[in-house]
Amino acid sequence: MLRALRRHGPATRAELAKHTGLAKATVGVIVADLEAKGAVAEEDARSGARGRPGRPVGLRGDRFVALGLELNVDYVSAVVVDLAGDVLHSEVRPAPTGAALLDLARDVVRRHTGLERPTVGATLAVPALVRGDDRTVAWAPNLAVEGAGLADALGRLLPGLRVQVSNDANCAAYAESHHGAARGAAHALYLTGTVGIGAGIVQDGEVMRGGAGFAGEVGHMPVGDSTAPCGCGRRGCWEASIGLHAMLAAVGMPELDTPLRTAESVAARARTDAGVRAVLERVGRDVGLGIAMLSSVLDPEVVVMGGYFAPLGDLVLEPARRTLDERLASEVQVRPDLRPSTLGIRAAALGAAEQSFDAVFAGDAELPG
């Protein structure tokens, strides 16, 4: 019922019966229970309807919330989302440590949750392979993180809550599919644009994780400069050519406190510096090479470019599009629409917060209270 209301918006009991396949009497019982919990509320009757007008039921956004967190190489972030999908709070701090993450989580929980606004769950996004238990970091080449330590620490900070850990690209892809540049696309691919390069794959609004949950580890495909050293210890990985640090080394510019601010400064320099534009042209070609490979395998409708790619826009996307046209083998292959992220640096934390509601929307967990 909650999932139907989130997907379709306010609906009468008769409409909810059609959306859910439940009997209208059953819908009435469930709605009454959800009203008692403070999760839904009746709205004004619709005008212009024949016969007795039904009173729509809508989600209440002032009652239940979920917490999304991100720990990345350059920053930590937090987003609080309510049951209706509205963002109540978003915050980024340039301090990439577990201690900074816990401090941020503690502050956000104190300020934005409580007895009147209980938290349903919390999800942490990390640039790492995360095992199927949704708690254990299996491999994080750009972070000194391993095992279930982060999940355990958050669990102690948030006792009684369901705490999960998820891949950052998967979280960001989910957010872009439901809130951002990929909204309305049946099949979308999201590319992170930070120090590492990862991908999130979304089909019909759901993240595709693969057999072991590790799908999307595209940053270590052998694309680009075959001699470039990568953080994983090998050479020639895609992120060693198009990752944030690789791009900055090539343009000779310093890193600022977040990937977006860094990219904004590079874009400003590119307006007057032909050398910087040439580097971004090369980065764009390497981006296009990788997307061509992924498009041949996954056939995405939309590719959303996140992280530092978004502020650079067409400085990178135009050469990527040209390379994509050159490298796809057949004219019948659909060229995916390359779009910059609209959610910016909060994408992964927003998607993490939304995924904290998944168990409730799936009927696997009860609303608290």
Side-chain angles (χ1 to χ4, degrees):
M1 190 79 67
L2 293 171
R3 183 170 55 199
L5 288 169
R6 174 68 86 87
R7 183 174 296 169
H8 301 289
T12 64
R13 288 161 177 77
E15 291 167 339
L16 284 170
K18 292 180 181 178
H19 293 327
T20 62
L22 298 171
K24 188 175 178 181
T26 304
V27 168
V29 171
I30 296 173
V31 166
D33 181 57
L34 292 174
E35 280 187 304
K37 286 181 175 290
V40 303
E42 282 194 336
E43 301 184 355
D44 293 337
R46 291 172 178 163
S47 60
R50 286 187 173 185
R52 184 179 177 182
R55 290 180 66 87
V57 174
L59 293 174
R60 279 183 56 181
D62 60 347
R63 178 64 172 142
F64 299 98
V65 298
L67 174 63
L69 300 162
E70 181 186 9
L71 172 62
N72 215 302
V73 177
D74 301 310
Y75 61 91
V76 295
S77 64
V79 170
V80 178
V81 173
D82 66 23
L83 189 63
D86 293 326
V87 175
L88 304 181
H89 179 74
S90 177
E91 185 171 347
V92 179
R93 296 180 183 178
T97 66
L101 175 76
L102 294 176
D103 286 343
L104 175 60
R106 188 179 295 108
D107 291 346
V108 170
V109 168
R110 186 183 69 251
R111 286 182 280 142
H112 297 283
T113 69
L115 292 176
E116 298 301 316
R117 186 181 279 169
T119 306
V120 170
T123 299
L124 168 64
V126 289
L129 297 182
V130 179
R131 297 198 183 278
D133 63 358
D134 294 327
R135 291 182 64 84
T136 306
V137 175
W139 185 56
N142 296 309
L143 280 177
V145 174
E146 192 173 1
L150 284 172
D152 292 341
L154 284 171
R156 290 190 294 271
L157 180 65
L158 307 168
L161 287 188
R162 185 170 182 263
V163 175
Q164 303 178 101
V165 179
S166 184
N167 174 265
D168 64 331
N170 287 344
C171 291
Y174 190 88
E176 291 286 355
S177 179
H178 290 268
H179 291 266
R183 196 170 184 178
H187 190 282
L189 180 71
Y190 175 90
L191 288 179
T192 64
T194 55
V195 174
I197 301 295
I201 307 159
V202 177
Q203 177 75 43
D204 296 325
E206 298 298 326
V207 174
M208 302 291 102
R209 295 188 58 181
F214 295 165
E217 193 62 21
V218 301
H220 302 285
M221 300 188 306
V223 181
D225 182 357
S226 61
T227 68
C230 181
C232 72
R234 297 177 296 176
R235 292 181 180 272
C237 294
W238 196 23
E239 69 182 45
S241 290
I242 70 167
L244 176 64
H245 286 175
M247 182 275 291
L248 289 175
V251 298
M253 292 181 63
E255 184 176 6
L256 303 181
D257 55 356
T258 69
L260 269 63
R261 284 198 60 204
T262 300
E264 289 165 358
S265 70
V266 174
R269 175 76 66 84
R271 288 195 286 269
T272 59
D273 191 323
V276 170
R277 291 196 299 274
V279 168
L280 297 179
E281 174 83 15
R282 190 271 301 162
V283 169
R285 288 198 302 270
D286 286 342
V287 167
L289 282 173
I291 293 176
M293 293 175 62
L294 295 170
S295 295
S296 295
V297 175
L298 300 172
D299 189 28
E301 177 185 348
V302 170
V303 177
V304 179
M305 307 296 294
Y308 90 83
F309 294 124
L312 293 179
D314 285 343
L315 290 166
V316 168
L317 294 187
E318 275 305 309
R321 293 184 182 110
R322 291 195 299 271
T323 303
L324 187 59
D325 286 339
E326 294 166 1
R327 299 298 299 186
L328 285 181
S330 170
E331 287 295 325
V332 303
Q333 289 178 276
V334 177
R335 271 59 176 167
D337 184 7
L338 270 57
R339 303 175 183 174
S341 165
T342 60
L343 299 178
I345 203 168
R346 73 176 185 172
L350 173 57
E354 285 284 29
Q355 289 189 352
S356 298
F357 278 121
D358 278 356
V360 171
F361 289 149
D364 296 330
E366 293 285 335
L367 287 169

